[in-house]
Amino acid sequence: MKHFKIQEHYLLLNKWWETLDLTNYEKSFLNREIISFNQQLLRLKEKKLRIGAYGKSGVGKSSVLNSLLKKDIFKTDIINGSTKEIQSETWTLKDQTLNSLELLDSPGFDFCNIKFPDKVYSCINHSDLILFIVSGDLNRNELNEISSFIKDGKKIILILNKIDLFNKNELKEVIENIKFKLPKDLNIPIIINNENNLKNYIAKLINKYGEILLTLNSIQLADKLFLKIKEQRLKRRQKLAQSTIGKFSTLKASAVALNPFIFFDVAGSFAIDTALINELSTIYGLKLKGESTRKIFKNISINNLCLGITQVGVNTSLNLIKKLILLTAPFTNGLSLLPYGPIAIIQAAIAIYSTKILGKLAAKEIYVRSKASFIDPAILIQNMNFNDPEIFNYINIYFSNRNLNNNFISFLP
Ligand SMILES: Nc1nc2c(ncn2[C@@H]2O[C@H](COP(=O)(O)OP(=O)(O)O)[C@@H](O)[C@H]2O)c(=O)[nH]1
Ligand SMILES: [Mg+2]
């Protein structure tokens, strides 16, 4: 653990950020996220760890932080707390690898006088470490807040405050109850706020994991921003792709329907499909050479027999009918040309339908291939080695949730 290279991670993350190449629209769309990520990146560079206190009103958040600071910095109040906005204070702890520590005090999450409750959650959610403060057994709201943090991949410590209000047996029971309600696999530490107990625990934890917590949190924030950018880009491409597919369907339908010659379909249809695949790949930023286009085309046709059959099979059988009609035409004095109209319409409908399916499938195929061109900050986390379950478990939870949210198939045409 001593060899953890925080500087190296900062450089990698900074490089990722610089090469991201955001458009002006993206910059204004994600303005808030970008600002807070920049701040985090700066804290990573300066090795500044941020610790946020969170909990209901009146549990003693401000008091706990004051006891850590050994100074009455944050205002406390008998009636449901007096903190109305997030406040911060630098905490000097001796014997640490980090350059500085910052403590954030927050209004109670259940406090109805807060201007922007979402902002409080998201600000504390950006901290590298969360002190979740309670003054007794956990209620349902507290559990909900805790599970949100866990889903967001946050490292939290539960702090039991106001223990002077319990006798020994009651205290034991409260701790048992809390333990029972917390998720078992995460081993969230429950620390009693008793004299120097809490300070010693945090000091030890930061000494061992401070740099890792700061780095992981920075990468996680980068990752969350990355997913947002990706979603936004895919949504924009979805619109473009949809209109391109529409354009090609119409093109093909008219080519098929208007073409009086029976030879058009196979060769002409392939040319249009190839052009569509190429145009879609340009939209998704994937440069395709002729060979890859054919591969995508082949993949789609093999994996989607139905499409192949509608496309080729129906075309051929209709062509056959068309051919027969045309062939018989001279012998029937043009009478048999009459059914040619409806057949052309059916063919055009099939052309539209199959081109739409082809476009959707091609976009999916192209998207999967183009994924490699996104630099994914999560890879940075995967490349970090930690054998410590304390860190490893909560990163795993972050990843399983991330992968659930990282299903971008719905943003494809
Ligand atoms: N009995 C007792 N009261 C406490 C303790 N810690 C804080 N308090 C009191 O609880 C009230 C609310 O504390 P405060 O820190 O303002 O809570 P916050 O709203 O979570 O910031 C204040 O009157 C504090 O004096 C404690 O350990 N024991
Ligand atoms: Mg307070």
Side-chain angles (χ1 to χ4, degrees), residues 170-325:
E170 286 166 339
L171 187 65
K172 217 173 131 191
E173 203 182 310
V174 169
I175 294 173
E176 283 307 312
N177 283 342
I178 294 176
K179 241 185 220 161
F180 181 75
K181 288 177 185 168
L182 289 175
K184 307 281 168 296
D185 49 341
L186 262 180
N187 276 327
I188 295 175
I190 304 168
I191 310 297
I192 293 168
N193 184 28
N194 193 9
E195 292 179 17
N196 273 332
N197 208 10
L198 179 63
K199 190 186 169 185
N200 292 342
Y201 180 86
I202 297 177
K204 230 188 211 168
L205 182 88
I206 288 172
N207 231 327
K208 196 169 175 195
Y209 296 117
E211 295 197 340
I212 295 185
L213 287 174
L214 177 56
T215 309
L216 275 178
N217 189 37
S218 311
I219 302 177
Q220 273 176 357
L221 292 182
D223 190 52
K224 281 176 196 161
L225 183 58
F226 164 78
L227 293 182
K228 278 212 173 110
I229 295 168
K230 196 158 135 184
E231 179 183 324
Q232 196 273 325
R233 283 187 182 173
L234 277 178
K235 274 185 182 160
R236 193 182 54 84
R237 285 167 175 182
Q238 181 183 39
K239 271 190 204 147
L240 278 174
Q242 271 162 348
S243 79
T244 304
I245 294 171
K247 191 177 79 190
F248 274 88
S249 314
T250 320
L251 182 70
K252 196 162 163 191
S254 40
V256 170
L258 295 178
N259 195 350
F261 301 106
I262 41 185
F263 305 109
F264 166 76
D265 301 78
V266 178
S269 152
F270 181 71
I272 291 179
D273 290 340
T274 311
L276 169 62
I277 290 175
N278 279 334
E279 197 150 316
L280 285 174
S281 52
T282 315
I283 291 172
Y284 284 92
L286 183 73
K287 286 189 186 78
L288 287 179
K289 294 200 179 84
E291 182 59 28
S292 335
T293 314
R294 273 193 292 281
K295 254 192 201 153
I296 287 180
F297 195 68
K298 225 166 111 186
N299 256 7
I300 293 169
S301 318
I302 291 169
N303 293 329
N304 297 279
L305 266 179
C306 261
L307 177 67
I309 290 166
T310 16
Q311 190 101 313
V312 180
V314 179
N315 265 7
T316 337
S317 58
L318 284 176
N319 274 329
L320 202 66
I321 301 170
K322 221 199 280 185
K323 199 173 184 175
L324 285 174
I325 293 164

Side-chain angles (χ1 to χ4, degrees), residues 13 16 37 216-230 375-382 398-399 401-403 406 408:
L13 211 51
W16 168 79
F37 177 70
L216 275 178
N217 189 37
S218 311
I219 302 177
Q220 273 176 357
L221 292 182
D223 190 52
K224 281 176 196 161
L225 183 58
F226 164 78
L227 293 182
K228 278 212 173 110
I229 295 168
K230 196 158 135 184
I375 308 171
D376 194 329
I379 291 169
L380 296 177
I381 300 181
Q382 277 151 355
Y398 173 72
F399 272 114
N401 280 305
R402 177 198 195 266
N403 293 341
N406 192 17
F408 285 106

Side-chain angles (χ1 to χ4, degrees), residues 1 155 185-186 209 212 216 220 381-382 384-399:
M1 264 334 139
K155 171 80 181 154
D185 49 341
L186 262 180
Y209 296 117
I212 295 185
L216 275 178
Q220 273 176 357
I381 300 181
Q382 277 151 355
M384 283 161 79
N385 285 324
F386 7 69
N387 31 29
D388 214 297
E390 193 156 346
I391 299 288
F392 203 72
N393 283 352
Y394 87 87
I395 288 299
N396 269 354
I397 291 188
Y398 173 72
F399 272 114

Side-chain angles (χ1 to χ4, degrees), residues 121-122 124-127 130 144-156 186 216-217 219-221 223-224 228 381 394-395 397-399 401-402 405:
Y121 178 86
S122 94
I124 296 300
N125 197 28
H126 279 72
S127 317
I130 292 168
N144 281 342
E145 298 293 311
I146 290 175
S147 34
S148 294
F149 283 131
I150 291 173
K151 267 193 211 136
D152 279 325
K154 305 310 293 188
K155 171 80 181 154
I156 57 177
L186 262 180
L216 275 178
N217 189 37
I219 302 177
Q220 273 176 357
L221 292 182
D223 190 52
K224 281 176 196 161
K228 278 212 173 110
I381 300 181
Y394 87 87
I395 288 299
I397 291 188
Y398 173 72
F399 272 114
N401 280 305
R402 177 198 195 266
N405 299 331

Side-chain angles (χ1 to χ4, degrees), residues 61-62 75 81-83 105-106:
K61 296 177 294 299
S62 307
K75 259 204 239 159
S82 59
T83 319
D105 190 19
S106 66

Side-chain angles (χ1 to χ4, degrees), residues 56-63 76-78 81 161-162 164-165:
K56 277 189 314 185
S57 293
V59 290
K61 296 177 294 299
S62 307
S63 311
T76 61
D77 197 347
I78 304 170
N161 192 38
K162 299 197 184 180
D164 52 299
L165 301 180

